[in-house]
Amino acid sequence: MGSQGQADNFFEGAGFDWESYIVHRPAPTPEFYQLIYDHHRAHGGEFNLAHDIGTGPGNIAEQIGKTFKHVHASEPSAYHTSVAEHRLKAIDPHKYTTQQCRGEDISSEAAGHKEGSVDLITVAQCIPLMNVPQAISGFAHLLKPTTGTLAIWFYGRPCFADPAQQQSQRIINAILSKAWDRVRPMKGTGFEPAKTMLCAFLDNVAFPSEQWQHVRRLKWNADKPMMFLENDDVDFEIRWESAVGEGEVEERYLDRGFWAVEADVAWMRGFVDYALPWENKDEEKRGFDGLFGELEQAMGGKGVRQRVTWPVALLLATRK
């Protein structure tokens, strides 16, 4: 999904293969979406209009459109927006609309909706790079009072489900660390608050009680790190922050099958390639051949698949 600022540059340009990006990402399951819809329905929510923030290629908007009558998808990047528009219009030119707009600005720009008109807002894989207080306030502005639902989620580092795959885990951790070399130093950039949020499993996202109710914070596999890097791999002090308010519900689940992918080394390489696309693709990718060779051997050889799971945080809140 799209995000703000420096990270946008990773995915710009006509040469980026968004379909391969989608293939090499974990996909939220129907049960995950149903959990969001059940929360929405339980608090009187309707299924008329949804807004997907930071839609990237529109893959989340596409899924939401199976349940909602109309889906508006917005993106800060002009290129991402054009990709999403092309994909979504091919699915249903009447159900989907798109707009170039930062997530923080949807209440101040002409986002295509009146205040208090949106039933559901989804924010997948992009909240850490936003101005969170401004964004949360803007989302409240758009949602229907007393029934509108906000769903924010993020998945973290790929984790091998089999405890016997510890060596594979060490190698993919090393690969991810090396891949992030291209964006160092991170101290003082937008990545510093983003990494801080991931270390907190999104617990430092605040929901002011004058705007929000029925707040739930759900975490799967929270014994695994959300941040793609080890603490020693960053050039700033890692701190844990919490904005969990009184009365908010916290739920934790240990489920090594959650969003599971049966991945071989080719899939793992695709995940890394499309998580941090290369500026000089061929030259930079060759620099990882040795590590991926080690990973292939640790996983059992060419074409051998191992189960990969994810730490995931989901925030659900209802507009007051």
Side-chain angles (χ1 to χ4, degrees), residues 258-276:
F258 191 73
W259 290 13
V261 174
E262 302 298 329
D264 61 4
V265 73
W267 193 94
M268 297 300 293
R269 183 152 201 165
F271 175 84
V272 175
D273 286 353
Y274 290 100
L276 285 170

Side-chain angles (χ1 to χ4, degrees), residues 157-168:
R157 188 189 312 181
C159 300
F160 286 91
D162 185 352
Q165 285 294 307
Q166 292 182 16
Q167 179 64 7
S168 297

Side-chain angles (χ1 to χ4, degrees), residues 9-23:
N9 297 328
F10 294 156
F11 307 99
E12 290 289 355
F16 186 74
D17 186 346
W18 276 107
E19 295 301 330
S20 291
Y21 169 91
I22 294 171
V23 168

Side-chain angles (χ1 to χ4, degrees), residues 42-153:
H43 300 292
E46 298 179 311
F47 290 80
N48 296 315
L49 175 60
H51 189 144
D52 184 40
I53 304 291
T55 198
N59 51 316
I60 300 298
E62 176 184 352
Q63 296 302 315
I64 296 168
K66 296 177 181 179
T67 302
F68 279 76
K69 292 179 181 177
H70 183 82
V71 179
H72 187 72
S74 63
E75 249 291 331
S77 161
Y79 174 62
H80 301 181
T81 304
S82 67
V83 172
E85 181 175 18
H86 176 77
R87 291 188 71 255
L88 295 172
K89 292 294 187 183
I91 296 167
D92 188 332
H94 305 293
K95 179 182 287 286
Y96 300 99
T97 52
T98 57
Q99 176 192 12
Q100 183 186 355
C101 179
R102 291 197 325 149
E104 297 95 326
D105 297 331
I106 60 170
S107 65
S108 58
E109 294 189 7
H113 317 310
K114 296 179 181 179
E115 179 180 357
S117 65
V118 178
D119 295 301
L120 172 70
I121 291 177
T122 53
V123 188
Q125 214 65 12
C126 59
I127 193 68
L129 288 170
M130 291 184 180
N131 179 321
V132 176
Q134 183 183 350
I136 295 295
S137 178
F139 302 155
H141 180 89
L142 281 186
L143 285 169
K144 288 181 179 178
T146 73
T147 64
T149 298
L150 173 62
I152 299 171
W153 68 88

